[in-house]
Amino acid sequence: MKYRRFIAALVISQAALTATPLFAQEISADTVVATVNGSNITMGNVIAARGTLPEQYQTLPVDELFTGILEQMIQQEVLRQSIGEPNKALQIQMQNETRAIFAGAALEEMAERAMTDEAIEAFYNETYASAEPSREYRAAHILVETEDEAKALLVDLDGGVDFADLARQKSTGPSGPNGGDLGWFGKGMMVAPFEEAVAAMEEGAVSAPVQTQFGWHIIKLVETRLQDIPSLDDMREEIEAQLADVALREGVERLTNDATIERIELDVKDAVNDDTLLAD
């Protein structure tokens, strides 16, 4: 709805208002915090609304946050009551919103069930803890268009020309101005011929001409190192995301397969774009 931005802004604009304080009592989700023409707004309503706010609003002082949300909900209730009975378009929109809310809750439950400490640890042990440390390489290269140009570079290097200086003078690649330095990279980060050549080299060595789809390379392997296996804490968020992704895909597929679904064949033509069908 095009006026949602205006409604959301009321949280901040109303934050300086002072709400009637609640007397000391045990507060529950059913505790009434305001009434509008006899309709109750409860603490549960406020808490649920707070959870939908952008993160920057969540850092407001609790009194201001409560007051802002409450005033927003009071104005929303006044506006809701002004409509009276919902028309057909509103009823259909409410059906869609309800369906989406329930679907979101179901997805959250699936994800939470999948992201147990036991599942996270098992995934880590299987994927990372038992893996061999991978080797990383730091290399520089000089990229030219032809093999003859690459061979001429080797002659210059054999004659004592500095590799970085030659890269700055001759390389057509983006790393040329930096002396050809490519920084650190691991398996799969370079095209296959380049990676295979580097893996076969010793530290400090310079390669024969290597051809890739980018041209001809003269490569210098500067140094290598073993990449440390990441800790469980370092990988927790990524593992949670992977477990949740698998659980959601499999869960939706399972529920869909188990459901009795009948898709009605219709010649919809332009009906899906016809808003007048929502009119009473």
Side-chain angles (χ1 to χ4, degrees):
M1 293 171 62
K2 61 183 178 180
Y3 298 111
R4 283 182 177 173
R5 183 178 300 175
F6 165 77
I7 294 172
L10 294 175
V11 175
I12 297 303
S13 65
Q14 297 293 341
L17 296 177
T18 302
T20 302
L22 292 173
F23 295 105
Q25 65 183 63
E26 184 176 348
I27 297 177
S28 71
D30 296 326
T31 299
V32 176
V33 294
T35 62
V36 180
N37 296 325
S39 294
N40 292 337
I41 298 174
T42 68
M43 181 61 74
N45 296 140
V46 173
I47 295 170
R50 187 263 304 156
T52 65
L53 291 175
E55 186 175 350
Q56 64 267 28
Y57 293 172
Q58 311 274 1
T59 60
L60 286 171
V62 64
D63 290 343
E64 293 183 17
L65 184 61
F66 170 78
T67 302
I69 294 173
L70 180 58
E71 294 306 316
Q72 178 199 45
M73 301 193 78
I74 287 172
Q75 294 187 23
Q76 288 176 335
E77 180 61 24
V78 170
L79 291 167
R80 184 195 71 79
Q81 292 179 15
S82 73
I83 292 293
E85 290 299 317
N87 59 23
K88 186 173 185 178
L90 277 177
Q91 292 176 22
I92 292 173
Q93 185 178 351
M94 290 163 62
Q95 292 171 5
N96 287 345
E97 293 285 352
T98 299
R99 184 182 298 112
I101 290 170
F102 274 82
L107 291 174
E108 286 185 9
E109 287 185 6
M110 287 180 190
E112 288 176 2
R113 288 197 299 268
M115 294 187 298
T116 64
D117 289 340
E118 293 79 7
I120 292 170
E121 186 173 353
F123 188 99
Y124 173 80
N125 289 336
E126 180 180 350
T127 308
Y128 299 101
S130 59
E132 292 291 332
S134 59
R135 186 163 294 279
E136 292 184 316
Y137 306 91
R138 184 184 172 201
H141 79 140
I142 306 172
L143 176 64
V144 290
E145 292 183 0
T146 67
E147 185 178 12
D148 287 341
E149 289 177 287
K151 289 179 178 178
L153 293 174
L154 289 177
V155 173
D156 290 336
L157 292 171
D158 288 341
V161 177
D162 180 73
F163 190 97
D165 289 340
L166 195 59
R168 280 187 280 268
Q169 296 170 21
K170 302 290 188 179
S171 183
T172 62
S175 66
N178 196 35
D181 189 3
L182 295 169
W184 288 99
F185 56 89
K187 185 176 181 180
M189 296 178 65
M190 296 293 179
V191 293
F194 192 100
E195 181 178 290
E196 291 167 2
V198 170
M201 295 172 64
E202 295 183 358
E203 291 186 6
V206 174
S207 73
V210 176
Q211 186 180 24
T212 72
Q213 64 264 44
F214 303 108
W216 288 85
H217 308 256
I218 299 299
I219 306 168
K220 180 178 181 180
L221 179 57
V222 180
E223 56 182 322
T224 67
R225 68 185 181 189
L226 288 177
Q227 185 181 32
D228 292 335
I229 297 173
S231 69
L232 175 58
D233 287 341
D234 289 338
M235 300 306 301
R236 180 174 292 274
E237 288 189 9
E238 182 176 326
I239 293 172
E240 288 177 344
Q242 292 185 61
L243 290 174
D245 181 65
V246 172
L248 297 185
R249 284 189 287 105
E250 292 181 350
V252 171
E253 182 178 1
R254 173 177 50 79
L255 290 172
T256 303
N257 290 338
D258 291 346
T260 301
I261 300 171
E262 182 181 359
R263 294 176 175 83
I264 312 303
E265 295 294 332
L266 293 175
D267 184 10
V268 297
K269 294 185 178 178
D270 295 327
V272 72
N273 295 320
D274 187 358
D275 293 338
T276 63
L277 295 178
L278 300 181
D280 286 334

